Amino acid sequence: MRKKSFLLWLLLLATVVIRAQPINQVRKISSFDKAWMFFVGDPAESDKPGFNDSQWQKLDVPHDWSILGTYDHNNSTGRGGGYLPSGIGWYRKHFELDAADSKKKVFIEFDGVMANSDVWINGYHLGKRPYGYISFNYELTGHLNFGRGKTNVIAVRADNSVQPASRYYTGAGIYRHVRLIVTNPVHIDTWGVFVTTPQINDQQATVHTKTWVTNQFEADKEIAVQTRLFDAAGKEVGKPVISSARIAAGKSVIVEQDNMVSKPKLWSTSSPVLYKVLTQILIGKTLIDEQVNNFGIREIKFDAQQGFLLNGKKLMIKGVCLHHDAGAFGAAVPLRAWERRLQLLKEIGVNGIRTAHNPVAPEFLDLCDQMGFVVMDENLDTWEAAKNHGEAGYGRFFKEWGLIDTRDQVLRDRNHPSVVIYSVGNEIHDNLNDSAGFKKYRDLQNVVHQNDGTRPVTMALFRPAMSKVYVNGFAQTMDVVGQNYRENELVAAHEAHPDWKVIGTENGHTLASWLALRDHVYMAGQFLWVGIDYLGETDWPNVVNGQGLFDHTGGTRPLTLQRESWWSDKPVVHIVRKQENAGVGPVVADWTPADFDTYDDARVSVYSNCDEVELFLNGRSLGSKSKPADDSPRDWSLTYERGVIKAIGKNKGEQVIAEELKTAGKPAKIALAVDRPIINNNWDDAAYVTATIVDADGVPCPQADNIISFSLTGPGVITATDNADLGNQETYTVPIRHTFHGKCIAIIKGNNAGKLTLKATSPSLADGLISVEVVNKPISK
């Protein structure tokens, strides 16, 4: 009789949408960022709930305590860590839980703790994760106190004392977000919904979901899994799909389903359309868990003859590598900082990101989904063999944790449509010419395939002629062959093996590197080193690596302008000159020499993708030049004159764009410009204000080296100040900053709704003023 009634219930599920009746709030997800106690050092018994932390610093996370420290040549982090401090940091949080949740399951999720973290709940050790970039979670159930007045204490120890641990800046502490999650005993696993789109055409797309459900009751349970799809506007698309399953006590099941979408809108770099999948778990008609995941409907393919195809069309991946810090913010980066940086990159034609060389914060990939970037999702900078200036790094943990960390990264990231390929290593120094090296790569690649069979795997090969990977069979084991630099070697390798799929995993800014991509249709793409300047990997007195297309404040440089002329689909024209007389020195983008008396032989170049460029000096034409076949700049040699130099770009004889540079006079005032006039009152938002020293007519003064003092009135704070100087060792939190090439920035945040006014002052200059509105609600975009 019981079997018959169960079959009737299954029939009902197959024919109707369940209108679920929830048990209160079925899945509680609470931010756990507020009100932590923090201490640098290693006090005994800090893991115990009764430990007295009342004298510790109270703060919110994300928090990177290293970036708040002082630059010192003697700091043990060395050149890799940017000469910033390291050590052991403790975090403790006191909290209460509702008595109503005492029968629920409770979990804590960390998006990243740098590094070698140990976590305790009420004195019980939950576990250790060495890798500071990986997201992880623990179940707290069985170790908690419930009810008013019954306090719980979670303690986190982050150990960055063993140095040098990295070739580039890592940060220190709980530098990403934390969440507390409360579920019913039957619930969807962590990262337990996997969405793919295996079949797509103009009329219809199949959306395939795999859902992992766990039963932590002491009895078997009969469940239903209901999956519904919604478009970006929140409108339901297609029909819900309902499946049933029986889960044994203490076990898990996987439920696979197919939903159909008519006339799907495809995700692409130019139109990054997203959908949502709502997964609901029911017992009878009672909703016991639900989860929402974003996804995109798109088809990807790496091809040995055509490179990379997105939705059946070739897409040249014009990518950059990015490290995880954001200048003055260090490793604790508000989402707005990444949004601003990605906007800058998008504007010059970049469409791809390589996460060099580690898992990024999950919200970074959300931005890539929303903004239309394809991503090479990389896991590690080292396997077992150490690298210079990072001898005490991940190599100590690879044997035990390499496969686990790779698995967890893939499980977390596999629903992002932006992720199109995984990389399982950067310039690995392990021996790849023996069976052990082959096995390490094969094991990592297999872990990826086991957890996500929809994307290929590569790694950034290092000097293949030396490692023998092109002749010993290693490259043949790779889904896609990736190589750093030496583009001619990769071209030659494909010519010898036309069945290989190839991609430049790390590339220079040279014209030759660009032509290796432009002129070989089989090359899937390139990722420039690097998109934006980053902390560390540089020699004292510098503390910032300056190889970026943009400096670490977001400012442009001639590299930015030239790359835009190669990669942008819009008309581009930019004027640059050699800084010193007669073609000596670096390239600069201004018309104001440092010494007018010794500068008369000006060597001018124009970066442009236009058919024709005409150059003018003070209204006189200096002639027109056609676009070179090899995309090289158009050069002029002329006698310098103060005034205005102007370039006009033409296509088919018609002017489509123009740019002019003016000679600056004496510095007269501070001009302030803000990236957004309205910001949210939350941790993840900020406004970047750029202060530029200008003359009386508003022309920027590139030689100005003034000290600017910032002050703020209204409901907010000056979070940091900075400039683009690679050797700037001033503390970021002080509201005073030297200008560098006539510019510096202030970063401000709100702490309540209202109007902020930032004032910038400097002796002998007129003040600058600018206002920003702070709101307590999301900003429409």
Side-chain angles (χ1 to χ4, degrees):
M1 182 69 181
R2 184 171 181 270
K3 182 177 180 181
K4 183 177 180 181
S5 62
F6 180 56
L7 290 174
L8 289 172
W9 179 64
L10 296 185
L11 181 62
L12 177 65
L13 291 180
T15 55
V16 300
V17 178
I18 297 177
R19 301 303 175 190
Q21 302 297 318
I23 304 177
N24 300 320
Q25 187 177 350
V26 295
R27 173 178 286 253
K28 296 181 183 178
I29 302 176
S30 305
S31 171
F32 222 49
D33 289 346
K34 299 288 187 181
W36 290 78
M37 307 302 290
F38 172 71
F39 184 82
V40 175
D42 199 17
E45 300 191 343
S46 297
D47 58 312
K48 302 297 190 292
F51 178 85
N52 182 5
D53 58 21
S54 62
Q55 299 304 306
W56 288 15
Q57 180 185 1
K58 189 175 182 179
L59 51 76
D60 300 336
V61 301
H63 173 242
D64 173 10
W65 65 263
S66 181
I67 196 66
L68 302 174
T70 301
Y71 286 106
D72 190 328
H73 189 214
N74 296 315
N75 278 333
S76 59
T77 54
R79 77 186 299 272
Y83 307 98
L84 282 162
S86 61
I88 296 172
W90 277 90
Y91 297 81
R92 289 167 53 88
K93 182 177 173 68
H94 302 250
F95 64 101
E96 296 181 0
L97 292 170
D98 292 342
D101 291 334
S102 61
K103 302 300 183 183
K104 302 286 185 73
K105 302 299 177 180
V106 184
F107 305 83
I108 190 168
E109 287 188 350
F110 294 90
D111 286 342
V113 179
M114 190 63 67
N116 302 297
S117 65
D118 287 275
V119 182
W120 292 263
I121 180 65
N122 294 329
Y124 177 82
H125 186 239
L126 294 166
K128 183 181 186 71
R129 291 303 287 255
Y131 198 28
Y133 295 104
I134 202 68
S135 298
F136 60 93
N137 66 88
Y138 296 114
E139 184 172 357
L140 310 182
T141 311
H143 310 290
L144 295 168
N145 305 309
F146 291 87
R148 182 176 298 178
K150 296 182 179 180
T151 302
N152 300 277
V153 179
I154 191 151
V156 179
R157 180 180 187 266
D159 185 357
N160 295 275
S161 60
V162 181
Q163 295 290 336
S166 175
R167 298 185 304 116
Y168 43 90
Y169 181 76
T170 63
I174 304 177
Y175 71 105
R176 292 180 183 166
H177 292 294
V178 187
R179 287 170 297 281
L180 193 73
I181 299 176
V182 180
T183 73
N184 286 301
V186 172
H187 56 84
I188 300 166
D189 289 357
T190 302
W191 309 316
V193 177
F194 182 25
V195 188
T196 59
T197 53
Q199 295 179 328
I200 303 171
N201 58 48
D202 293 340
Q203 297 303 311
Q204 184 171 266
T206 301
V207 178
H208 184 75
T209 55
K210 292 177 70 173
T211 305
W212 284 256
V213 186
T214 292
N215 176 17
Q216 291 185 277
F217 279 114
E218 294 181 356
D220 296 358
K221 293 294 177 180
E222 297 165 354
I223 67 163
V225 178
Q226 178 169 268
T227 298
R228 303 167 67 185
L229 305 182
F230 299 85
D231 64 16
K235 180 182 178 181
E236 187 163 7
V237 294
K239 297 180 179 180
V241 174
I242 307 166
S243 304
S244 62
R246 184 188 297 274
I247 317 179
K251 301 294 183 180
S252 299
V253 296
I254 302 173
V255 176
E256 299 195 45
Q257 298 171 306
D258 286 324
N259 289 66
M260 311 307 294
V261 177
S262 297
K263 296 183 178 179
K265 296 180 179 179
L266 304 187
W267 184 93
S268 68
T269 55
S270 59
S271 181
V273 177
L274 294 173
Y275 290 81
K276 294 182 183 296
V277 56
L278 171 63
T279 306
Q280 297 177 309
I281 311 300
L282 305 102
I283 295 179
K285 290 188 177 182
T286 301
L287 179 66
I288 57 171
D289 197 12
E290 65 180 1
Q291 194 176 102
V292 176
N293 286 278
N294 293 330
F295 71 99
I297 298 175
R298 57 101 173 102
E299 180 182 44
I300 60 169
K301 181 182 180 181
F302 285 84
D303 184 82
Q305 278 69 53
Q306 299 182 73
F308 176 69
L309 290 88
L310 179 61
N311 301 324
K313 299 177 181 178
K314 178 173 173 58
L315 177 71
M316 182 186 292
I317 298 177
K318 302 171 181 176
V320 298
C321 304
L322 288 178
H323 273 317
H324 83 137
D325 76 84
F329 284 119
V333 185
L335 190 61
R336 172 57 192 165
W338 283 125
E339 182 182 46
R340 174 177 178 262
R341 288 179 161 208
L342 292 176
Q343 285 171 339
L344 293 171
L345 290 165
K346 192 84 171 181
E347 286 168 4
I348 67 166
V350 174
N351 63 17
I353 304 294
R354 175 186 175 216
T355 63
H357 307 288
N358 44 260
V360 291
E363 62 267 24
F364 178 90
L365 294 179
D366 290 337
L367 277 178
C368 292
D369 294 342
Q370 296 160 16
M371 298 177 70
F373 288 89
V374 293
V375 173
M376 177 179 287
D377 200 8
E378 191 160 69
N379 62 349
L380 301 169
D381 188 45
T382 57
W383 294 351
E384 291 186 69
K387 293 179 178 179
N388 292 333
H389 309 291
E391 290 85 352
Y394 189 80
R396 298 182 294 145
F397 310 109
F398 175 83
K399 188 174 292 186
E400 178 181 359
W401 288 97
L403 298 180
I404 296 171
D405 289 336
T406 301
R407 176 203 66 194
D408 287 355
Q409 177 183 359
V410 172
L411 289 174
R412 190 198 70 172
D413 296 350
R414 60 189 178 178
N415 285 335
H416 290 280
S418 58
V419 175
V420 299
I421 188 169
Y422 296 103
S423 170
V424 294
N426 171 63
E427 295 186 354
I428 296 302
H429 286 193
D430 299 53
N431 186 356
L432 303 182
N433 196 31
D434 66 6
S435 59
F438 272 62
K439 184 177 186 303
K440 291 172 194 174
Y441 176 81
R442 185 173 61 250
D443 288 348
L444 289 165
Q445 183 168 263
N446 286 343
V447 164
V448 175
H449 289 164
Q450 288 161 10
N451 292 283
D452 181 359
T454 70
R455 298 170 173 93
V457 179
T458 188
M459 66 181 288
L461 294 172
F462 178 63
R463 298 181 182 175
M466 293 175 59
S467 61
K468 310 297 183 186
V469 291
Y470 286 169
V471 296
N472 65 6
F474 186 95
Q476 282 88 333
T477 70
M478 302 172 68
D479 295 340
V480 178
V481 178
Q483 181 183 320
N484 285 6
Y485 305 104
R486 304 187 182 203
E487 292 81 7
N488 59 321
E489 292 184 11
L490 187 57
V491 168
H494 185 273
E495 297 296 335
H497 303 276
D499 59 324
W500 288 6
K501 304 166 187 176
V502 294
I503 191 167
T505 42
E506 189 171 311
N507 303 91
H509 298 287
T510 66
L511 176 59
S513 297
W514 159 231
L515 295 179
L517 174 61
R518 190 199 72 172
D519 295 344
H520 298 95
V521 67
Y522 54 75
M523 196 75 72
Q526 289 183 346
F527 294 89
L528 302 176
W529 193 262
V530 59
I532 299 173
D533 290 356
Y534 57 96
L535 297 172
E537 199 170 11
T538 191
D539 293 317
W540 188 268
N542 286 352
V543 295
V544 173
N545 184 297
Q547 298 181 72
L549 283 177
F550 291 88
D551 68 49
H552 63 283
T553 71
T556 62
R557 46 173 54 120
L559 278 178
T560 324
L561 311 180
Q562 184 173 51
R563 185 60 53 172
E564 184 181 19
S565 75
W566 291 341
W567 279 9
S568 179
D569 294 328
K570 300 175 295 184
V572 173
V573 63
H574 292 299
I575 308 166
V576 297
R577 65 178 178 88
K578 282 289 189 175
Q579 187 175 41
E580 305 300 333
N581 196 56
V584 176
V587 175
V588 295
D590 65 61
W591 199 236
T592 308
D595 186 351
F596 289 98
D597 292 335
T598 61
Y599 190 85
D600 61 357
D601 184 358
R603 305 297 171 88
V604 174
S605 296
V606 176
Y607 302 142
S608 180
N609 56 9
C610 296
D611 298 340
E612 183 183 354
V613 170
E614 187 172 7
L615 191 67
F616 296 83
L617 180 59
N618 292 325
R620 303 188 312 274
S621 176
L622 302 180
S624 298
K625 296 191 177 184
S626 299
K627 186 176 186 294
D630 67 353
D631 281 353
S632 58
R634 280 160 263 201
D635 300 325
W636 280 263
S637 179
L638 57 133
T639 300
Y640 177 78
E641 295 177 10
R642 299 177 190 237
V644 180
I645 187 168
K646 181 177 182 178
I648 292 176
K650 302 177 182 178
N651 285 334
K652 298 180 180 178
E654 298 292 328
Q655 178 178 331
V656 292
I657 193 167
E659 179 180 88
E660 63 180 28
L661 302 176
K662 296 181 179 180
T663 306
K666 181 181 178 181
K669 54 188 176 181
I670 304 170
L672 298 183
V674 67
D675 63 333
R676 287 196 308 169
I678 304 173
I679 60 173
N680 273 303
N681 173 27
N682 62 46
W683 186 90
D684 266 313
D685 210 350
Y688 281 74
V689 179
T690 300
T692 304
I693 307 299
V694 299
D695 68 10
D697 296 320
V699 178
C701 301
Q703 317 303 334
D705 182 21
N706 299 68
I707 297 176
I708 294 181
S709 297
F710 294 95
S711 59
L712 188 70
T713 57
V717 295
I718 300 172
T719 300
T721 61
D722 200 1
N723 63 35
D725 184 1
L726 305 180
N728 175 28
Q729 299 169 15
E730 297 168 303
T731 303
Y732 294 110
T733 52
V734 298
I736 301 171
R737 189 66 44 176
H738 278 85
T739 59
F740 182 72
H741 296 321
K743 293 184 178 184
C744 64
I745 65 167
I747 306 171
I748 58 178
K749 287 189 170 189
N751 54 28
N752 211 334
K755 181 180 178 181
L756 299 175
T757 299
L758 183 72
K759 183 178 182 180
T761 63
S762 184
S764 75
L765 297 178
D767 298 345
L769 285 173
I770 200 163
S771 295
V772 175
E773 183 182 356
V774 183
V775 297
N776 287 325
K777 57 184 179 180
I779 300 168
S780 299
K781 297 181 181 179

